[in-house]
Amino acid sequence: MYEKLYDMNVLYNAFQKCKKGTDWKNSVQKYEANLFANLNTLRKELENETYRQKKFTEFDICERGKQRHIKSLHISDRVVQRALCDEILFPAM
């Protein structure tokens, strides 16, 4: 089952789902500019079992008078999570 996770079509479809609604963000646009190179690197890391989650991007925002601390995942980590959920976890349930 793990082999499904590093299939290029699965990773590409996961990226398409992840960028929906966030394709205006700079980090997503940078990742998409070199999409196939980034996905190929991700695929190799998953295949060789050397993939490690990147550190969170942390920032503070003030919305409607409330201060919030945000920890955001890197887009490549969101792609892996989406592929894992769609291809392995959901079918197993």
Side-chain angles (χ1 to χ4, degrees), residues 24-25 27 55-63 66-74 78:
W24 57 271
K25 292 182 179 180
S27 60
K55 292 186 177 186
F56 289 103
T57 303
E58 297 187 40
F59 55 94
D60 294 317
I61 62 170
C62 187
E63 259 182 24
K66 291 187 178 181
Q67 190 78 354
R68 293 178 48 206
H69 184 71
I70 306 293
K71 290 185 177 182
S72 169
L73 283 174
H74 190 268
R78 285 185 269 158

Side-chain angles (χ1 to χ4, degrees), residues 4-56:
K4 286 183 181 181
L5 191 59
Y6 53 82
D7 180 79
M8 277 299 270
N9 291 322
V10 169
L11 293 174
Y12 178 77
N13 291 336
F15 172 75
Q16 292 299 322
K17 289 179 182 179
C18 284
K19 82 170 196 164
K20 202 176 280 188
T22 62
D23 51 355
W24 57 271
K25 292 182 179 180
N26 187 33
S27 60
V28 175
Q29 290 176 358
K30 282 171 134 178
Y31 194 82
E32 192 172 19
N34 296 314
L35 180 61
F36 292 106
N38 290 330
L39 290 181
N40 192 41
T41 301
L42 188 57
R43 182 192 63 78
K44 286 179 184 177
E45 289 176 354
L46 289 168
E47 190 173 12
N48 297 331
E49 298 180 8
T50 58
Y51 169 76
R52 296 289 177 259
Q53 182 176 319
K54 294 171 181 57
K55 292 186 177 186
F56 289 103

